[in-house]
Amino acid sequence: MTERRLIIGGNWKMHKTPSEGVHAAKALRVKLINVSTVDVVICPPATGLVPIHAILRESNIKIGAQNLYWEDEGAFTGEISAPMLRDAGCDYVIVGHSERRHVFGESDDQLNKKVKKAMSAGLKVIFCVGETLAERNNGEMQTVVKKQIQLGLDGLTPAGSRDLVIAYEPVWAIGTGVTASPTQAEEMHGFVRHLLAKQFDETTASQIQIQYGGSVKPANADELLSQENIDGALVGGASLDPESFTAIVKAAEKITN
Ligand code: PGA
């Protein structure tokens, strides 16, 4: 079996001013100083990227953005490009978070352009997929996720997928306190890996990290992260508190070691 490192991401969403973010980053730098076997990335709002990168640049914690635009520069008021994110110190960018899809109406086609642009600029992409509650209740979760993967990752080569992380985030579990059971999550992760094998090939699919997201907290991290096809977590609410985010990273470290 391919050894995949676990990856724990903190998606701060629209929380923390730059100074609050710097404060949290300083705490994380100390708390996570000895963590070397788990990939750790935090994704602050865009205004926090530069000062937080300055705090974390010598540490084992990477930073990521929550969104990008697919052009390098130009008359696109309010948007931020991939080269700007690289220069700000980002190694990662989240693409296709359910809030971007559902609140801001981003389409599969737009997300595909974002994925390709991010990768061509040297950013690793955390590509989010997941079904709504209505879709799950209708038994459509596999159809929905299949379409998101096929269209969002269209045109990517197996070599390009080295910079790809998938986050399976059932929309009904995001910010609700309701987590998918480890069995429900593992079932979908196995399905996502099967889709990746079809899209790329078996070897490539076996190397791609697939995170689970949706109400992950210290109390449920261990059980979720212990599943065969769950290679990490994308954490929203619980990532805002350095203490609880650290506990989740430590749970991942314990499983790894
Ligand atoms: P949550 O968010 O942990 O607050 O449910 C996860 C996410 O949206 O990435």
Side-chain angles (χ1 to χ4, degrees):
M1 194 192 92
T2 312
E3 281 303 317
R4 294 180 298 268
R5 281 169 68 93
L6 296 182
I7 173 170
I8 307 298
N11 173 12
W12 288 359
K13 310 191 179 185
M14 200 173 74
H15 294 285
K16 296 191 193 293
T17 62
S19 43
E20 288 165 348
V22 162
H23 189 72
K26 283 182 179 167
L28 287 172
R29 186 178 59 182
V30 174
K31 288 178 186 294
L32 298 178
I33 192 150
N34 291 321
V35 174
S36 60
T37 52
V38 174
D39 296 336
V40 181
V41 48
I42 59 166
C43 302
T47 48
L49 292 172
V50 170
I52 290 170
H53 178 244
I55 303 298
L56 298 178
R57 66 188 316 153
E58 305 292 335
S59 80
N60 44 5
I61 306 169
K62 305 287 188 205
I63 64 164
Q66 300 173 12
N67 186 24
L68 83 161
Y69 193 61
W70 58 79
E71 297 288 348
D72 285 345
E73 60 178 10
F76 304 105
T77 302
E79 295 297 320
I80 301 178
S81 74
M84 291 171 188
L85 295 179
R86 281 299 284 157
D87 196 62
C90 289
D91 280 298
Y92 288 84
V93 61
I94 299 172
V95 176
H97 189 275
S98 74
E99 285 143 26
R100 299 301 317 173
R101 292 177 188 268
H102 298 292
V103 183
F104 299 99
E106 293 189 2
S107 68
D108 292 307
D109 178 53
Q110 290 174 324
L111 297 176
N112 182 246
K113 287 189 201 166
K114 291 185 176 198
V115 169
K116 287 178 176 159
K117 173 52 75 175
M119 287 182 173
S120 72
L123 288 161
K124 293 185 200 300
V125 170
I126 298 176
F127 184 69
C128 304
V129 298
E131 80 286 353
T132 63
L133 185 58
E135 288 161 347
R136 174 161 284 260
N137 288 342
N138 288 337
E140 293 166 358
M141 57 270 193
Q142 295 201 343
T143 319
V144 169
V145 168
K146 184 175 175 185
K147 181 164 168 268
Q148 290 170 337
I149 295 259
Q150 281 179 343
L151 300 180
L153 304 182
D154 184 46
L156 247 66
T157 61
S161 73
R162 269 200 299 270
D163 289 329
L164 180 66
V165 176
I166 303 285
Y168 168 65
E169 302 202 300
V171 180
W172 47 274
I174 295 179
T176 57
V178 182
T179 321
S181 70
T183 313
Q184 283 174 322
E186 172 61 19
E187 191 178 296
M188 286 304 286
H189 280 237
F191 177 66
V192 169
R193 204 173 300 286
H194 157 78
L195 293 174
L196 293 171
K198 290 223 295 218
Q199 187 106 354
F200 304 114
D201 55 67
E202 291 281 349
T203 311
T204 304
S206 73
Q207 289 162 349
I208 297 176
Q209 293 163 310
I210 308 177
Q211 294 176 304
Y212 168 79
S215 299
V216 176
K217 41 189 182 272
N220 58 25
D222 178 63
E223 218 187 349
L224 286 161
L225 295 171
S226 301
Q227 304 299 312
E228 166 79 20
N229 284 294
I230 300 185
D231 310 315
L234 186 55
V235 187
S239 73
L240 296 174
D241 172 22
E243 194 89 26
S244 59
F245 187 68
T246 298
I248 295 168
V249 174
K250 298 274 178 183
E253 198 183 29
K254 205 163 142 214
I255 289 167
T256 304
N257 300 340

